[in-house]
Amino acid sequence: MLIVVKFGGTSVGDGPRIRKAAEMIGWLRQQGHQIVVVTSAMSKVTDKLVSLAEKATPEHGGEETWLADSLPLVRKLERDHLEAAEQALYNGQLEGVRNLLKDEIHGLERVLKGSQLLGEMPRMSYDFLVSEGERLCVPILTACLRELGLSAVGLGGDEAGILTDNNFGCARADEERTRQGVRESLLPLLEKGVIPVVAGFYGRSLKGRPAILGRGGSDYSATLIGSALDCDQIWIMTDVDGIHTADPRLLSEAHTVGEISYEVAAEMALLGAKVLHGKCAAPAARRDIPVRIANTFHPERRGTYLSHQSRPGVTALTSVRQAGLILATSREGVSEQFAVRIVEEKRRKNIDVMLRTSGLNGATLMYLVDQLNLNRFLKVLHRLKDPQMKLSIRRDVAVVGVVGEKLEEIPGLMTTIHRCLDEAHAQPLLFVQGASPHSIVMAFPDQEDLLRRVLVGLHRELGLSLQGVGGGTRNLGCDQNSKS
Ligand code: ADP
Ligand code: ASP
Ligand code: MG
């Protein structure tokens, strides 16, 4: 089989973990598989790069001292990666990797110094800077594979042929051009028995410069590459056993879902389940490529498979904190033209809105937006705002999604949800059903206790706690034809 294997941040979180990831690839090669590796940055590295980049922008201070303040952080990143390389590599490869890491760090410093000269951080430089973590990880993982006797070549996401629009910060891939680019770059390597090790998270923009695919974008890199190569499977190796019935860090009773449709997985991601990037299911779905989400630390466990199955039932709960609820109101009614301009701008800038709904007779537009997209979306609204319109923004909002297949066909579902909310003393700020066949969305004031009561109650009462590991969806004990 040809398998694209993507390692997330924790899977390559330090030297020994990078070594383990390489050993897993070695084992897959021994089984006779052809492999393309996609790697994220070591865990937390992208967060540090983002805060470095933000310090350099005028609205975050952008003071004269920021460069001097930033350089120790750069040195620390360098040390951390050198240390990871020393722990991951046991013989001959270390010197070469040290030099590659130094070159990367040098590039990073040049971008920071350039930004200081300009007095700002251009969007292109921002994307270059925050994608550095992936480029720092690739040489270490590639060298590990070589130490294991495998032939491997490291490539940037741009060099691998992922081609995007110019939406720096959150670019979208041009799948057709990417298909051609990836095939040209990677097929000759695969034919020679070489393992390509690709830096996830970014591609090459139309301007020829790296553009990031949005936070968590390495999943998207993997499915873009997998579908371009018509591979047999795409494996997303992460720190949990697959997609769970709720975020396992929030709800200990959550457990792995054996199979889930591409559409429901995408909906979960859009509603904030961090385990997958929102755009990553679509390229694989279009070419019917199975995507497996599995645990790097227990690769023998089956994990979750994305497929085209569609049995009605509740699959999972999602939750996001610190989201924003925006109301755009106009006594005259928000004009159609204004609504259309928002949609166009949102698309142009690849801003993801969890939910949009409109009030009676179009007098209000309501948006639920997660923290990452909120400020970019507000900028658009402020720029387009017509003078008649009032904008009100509530930032401390928690969003809960009930996600599954053909929810409207599940008898008794709404009654059960409302009973749970009553028992949790939870009064939603917003409740939307019917906008999508895959989800029911609620927003609450963002209070930890309240959110927990809602999640625990829904998880139990919707039957999610009862499923065995490897289960699929839950249909509240009613089949498709039964009446409530
Ligand atoms: P990686 O670095 O491997 O890409 P992420 O942190 O992006 O990993 O995603 C994995 C995390 O997603 C898990 O640690 C888990 O806390 C979180 N998560 C949120 N919702 C879910 C869910 N429904 N199923 C599994 N994991 C989830
Ligand atoms: N390193 C990037 C991030 O943290 C991409 C990824 O992990 O998928 O967002
Ligand atoms: Mg991720």
Side-chain angles (χ1 to χ4, degrees), residues 139-160:
I140 310 175
L141 184 52
T142 309
C144 261
L145 290 168
R146 290 192 186 138
E147 276 199 1
L148 295 173
L150 300 163
S151 174
V153 168
L155 296 111
D158 48 353
E159 294 167 320

Side-chain angles (χ1 to χ4, degrees), residues 97-116:
V97 171
R98 270 201 192 112
N99 291 334
L100 289 171
L101 293 178
K102 288 204 161 120
D103 286 350
E104 288 298 337
I105 291 288
H106 195 59
L108 189 65
E109 283 170 352
R110 279 185 18 225
V111 172
L112 288 170
K113 284 177 185 156
S115 300
Q116 194 193 33

Side-chain angles (χ1 to χ4, degrees), residues 117 140 168 221 233 267 278 321 416 460 477:
L117 280 176
I140 310 175
F168 293 97
S221 308
Q233 292 200 3
E267 192 106 346
R321 301 193 62 181
T416 310
R460 190 184 51 233

Side-chain angles (χ1 to χ4, degrees), residues 72-333:
L73 296 176
V74 175
R75 291 276 88 77
K76 169 93 171 78
L77 275 178
E78 182 177 13
R79 278 200 307 278
D80 290 347
H81 284 84
L82 285 171
E83 188 183 294
E86 280 157 16
Q87 291 171 345
L89 300 167
Y90 304 155
N91 50 50
Q93 299 283 333
L94 189 56
E95 209 37 52
V97 171
R98 270 201 192 112
N99 291 334
L100 289 171
L101 293 178
K102 288 204 161 120
D103 286 350
E104 288 298 337
I105 291 288
H106 195 59
L108 189 65
E109 283 170 352
R110 279 185 18 225
V111 172
L112 288 170
K113 284 177 185 156
S115 300
Q116 194 193 33
L117 280 176
L118 291 174
E120 64 166 334
M121 166 82 48
R123 289 160 70 218
M124 250 192 275
S125 310
Y126 179 94
D127 281 26
F128 179 87
L129 198 140
V130 305
S131 57
E132 192 57 63
E134 274 69 13
R135 286 190 296 279
L136 285 166
C137 191
V138 162
I140 310 175
L141 184 52
T142 309
C144 261
L145 290 168
R146 290 192 186 138
E147 276 199 1
L148 295 173
L150 300 163
S151 174
V153 168
L155 296 111
D158 48 353
E159 294 167 320
I162 294 178
L163 302 172
T164 73
D165 57 21
N166 278 337
N167 248 314
F168 293 97
C170 197
R172 181 182 287 275
D174 177 333
E175 277 187 44
E176 217 145 277
R177 290 171 51 242
T178 294
R179 182 173 174 85
Q180 202 185 335
V182 166
R183 295 180 80 84
E184 275 169 16
S185 306
L186 303 191
L187 283 178
L189 295 174
L190 289 169
E191 272 154 24
K192 281 190 264 173
V194 175
I195 302 173
V197 181
V198 181
F201 190 33
Y202 68 98
R204 176 182 289 129
S205 66
L206 292 167
K207 289 195 170 159
R209 308 292 300 161
I212 60 169
L213 302 166
R215 290 305 304 269
S218 305
D219 302 331
Y220 188 27
S221 308
T223 58
L224 285 165
I225 290 173
S227 64
L229 295 174
D230 296 320
C231 75
D232 296 288
Q233 292 200 3
I234 299 163
W235 289 6
I236 307 285
M237 303 306 296
T238 185
D239 55 1
V240 287
D241 280 350
I243 296 185
H244 283 59
T245 48
D247 185 342
R249 287 192 205 186
L250 293 181
L251 222 57
S252 56
E253 54 268 51
H255 53 76
T256 319
V257 176
E259 214 150 299
I260 183 172
S261 74
Y262 296 104
E263 291 79 11
V264 171
E267 192 106 346
M268 283 182 73
L270 191 63
L271 288 172
K274 201 184 162 210
V275 62
L276 282 184
H277 183 275
K279 295 193 186 90
C280 83
R286 274 194 273 282
R287 295 196 175 263
D288 292 333
I289 300 173
V291 179
R292 173 183 177 226
I293 297 102
N295 193 334
T296 307
F297 309 114
H298 296 282
E300 73 290 354
R301 296 184 187 159
R302 181 179 182 275
T304 303
Y305 275 87
L306 306 195
S307 70
H308 284 295
Q309 64 119 13
S310 65
R311 206 164 63 84
V314 175
T315 310
L317 304 177
T318 60
S319 53
V320 179
R321 301 193 62 181
Q322 295 180 346
L325 176 61
I326 302 165
L327 288 182
T329 321
S330 166
R331 242 186 290 145
E332 315 297 316

Side-chain angles (χ1 to χ4, degrees), residues 237-449:
M237 303 306 296
T238 185
D239 55 1
V240 287
D241 280 350
I243 296 185
H244 283 59
T245 48
D247 185 342
R249 287 192 205 186
L250 293 181
L251 222 57
S252 56
E253 54 268 51
H255 53 76
T256 319
V257 176
E259 214 150 299
I260 183 172
S261 74
Y262 296 104
E263 291 79 11
V264 171
E267 192 106 346
M268 283 182 73
L270 191 63
L271 288 172
K274 201 184 162 210
V275 62
L276 282 184
H277 183 275
K279 295 193 186 90
C280 83
R286 274 194 273 282
R287 295 196 175 263
D288 292 333
I289 300 173
V291 179
R292 173 183 177 226
I293 297 102
N295 193 334
T296 307
F297 309 114
H298 296 282
E300 73 290 354
R301 296 184 187 159
R302 181 179 182 275
T304 303
Y305 275 87
L306 306 195
S307 70
H308 284 295
Q309 64 119 13
S310 65
R311 206 164 63 84
V314 175
T315 310
L317 304 177
T318 60
S319 53
V320 179
R321 301 193 62 181
Q322 295 180 346
L325 176 61
I326 302 165
L327 288 182
T329 321
S330 166
R331 242 186 290 145
E332 315 297 316
V334 181
S335 72
E336 279 301 315
Q337 205 191 7
F338 176 73
V340 169
R341 275 164 62 210
I342 295 178
V343 173
E344 281 170 1
E345 273 299 281
K346 209 170 68 56
R347 231 179 250 153
R348 211 166 60 78
K349 297 202 173 314
N350 286 338
I351 295 171
D352 288 324
V353 164
M354 281 189 270
L355 188 98
R356 187 209 114 161
T357 170
S358 79
L360 283 184
N361 207 18
T364 318
L365 289 179
M366 221 179 278
Y367 297 91
L368 269 181
V369 189
D370 71 14
Q371 202 187 12
L372 261 182
N373 287 279
L374 186 59
N375 285 339
R376 289 192 307 133
F377 187 57
L378 285 174
K379 255 190 211 160
V380 167
L381 288 182
H382 283 300
R383 195 153 38 77
L384 297 181
K385 186 178 169 189
D386 71 47
Q388 310 293 327
M389 200 183 66
K390 209 173 129 237
L391 273 184
S392 86
I393 301 144
R394 180 165 182 161
R395 286 176 183 269
D396 53 345
V397 167
V399 181
V400 172
V402 173
V403 185
E405 296 289 348
K406 301 187 183 147
L407 295 183
E408 76 285 359
E409 293 181 14
I410 304 175
L413 178 60
M414 295 307 291
T415 315
T416 310
I417 293 176
H418 285 297
R419 197 181 63 239
C420 289
L421 298 188
D422 267 358
E423 283 167 7
H425 306 292
Q427 175 75 29
L429 301 165
L430 181 102
F431 188 105
V432 177
Q433 180 238 346
S436 152
H438 298 302
S439 63
I440 293 166
V441 181
M442 302 158 239
F444 303 94
D446 189 353
Q447 295 157 9
E448 194 161 344
D449 284 358

